[in-house]
Amino acid sequence: MLSVITEFRKGILFVRLKGNLNKNTVSKLNKKVTNIVKMHGINNIVFNFSNLKSIDIKGINTIFYNYELCKKNNGKSFICGNNDNIRGRLKKSRLVNYLYETTDELNAMKILNIG
């Protein structure tokens, strides 16, 4: 099960994930986030993982794909709220080498000089 809550504020799409992001739930993320990023040319996105229980390679690939879309739009992608459940998986996948990692959403806004 995956819950995807999105909020667009000050030019940033905030994506808060709760539950499990895996091959069975990645389609929900694609419908609620990836399609919006594609259609509207979103350039800055923040993924909040603080309530994410697990992530698999399909979930990681989808996060990376959203990063590529934002980069193509001259934007930045962030991940925040990395918890113990997923931290090792993210480092092993090297996703943290591409996306900016912050402690929370406010720090992402500060890095972008917004708010």
Side-chain angles (χ1 to χ4, degrees):
M1 191 72 180
L2 178 70
S3 169
V4 180
I5 299 166
T6 59
E7 179 182 350
F8 191 75
R9 187 173 25 138
K10 296 186 179 186
I12 305 170
L13 180 64
F14 293 93
V15 180
R16 298 172 187 107
L17 302 173
K18 182 176 183 180
N20 303 305
L21 180 57
N22 55 39
K23 66 180 180 180
N24 299 319
T25 61
V26 77
S27 61
K28 188 171 189 176
L29 182 64
N30 284 328
K31 286 178 190 169
K32 289 198 80 170
V33 177
T34 307
N35 292 339
I36 292 171
V37 172
K38 279 186 197 176
M39 288 187 331
H40 299 289
I42 304 280
N43 53 358
N44 295 314
I45 191 166
V46 177
F47 289 98
N48 188 329
F49 293 155
S50 59
N51 292 314
L52 195 63
K53 293 179 183 173
S54 68
I55 189 168
D56 71 359
I57 193 66
K58 290 280 190 185
I60 289 168
N61 287 340
T62 301
I63 299 294
F64 185 75
Y65 182 61
N66 281 281
Y67 153 79
E68 287 181 321
L69 291 172
C70 290
K71 184 178 176 186
K72 184 175 151 186
N73 294 332
N74 298 314
K76 294 185 175 144
S77 302
F78 296 84
I79 52 177
C80 70
N82 291 346
N83 59 51
D84 293 336
N85 296 334
I86 61 166
R87 183 172 283 118
R89 186 78 168 166
L90 293 176
K91 285 188 180 186
K92 189 176 181 182
S93 73
R94 292 179 281 188
L95 185 65
V96 293
N97 293 348
Y98 298 96
L99 284 78
Y100 292 93
E101 189 175 5
T102 66
T103 54
D104 55 33
E105 294 174 358
L106 289 175
N107 281 327
M109 290 177 73
K110 288 177 186 175
I111 290 170
L112 290 168
N113 292 321
I114 299 172

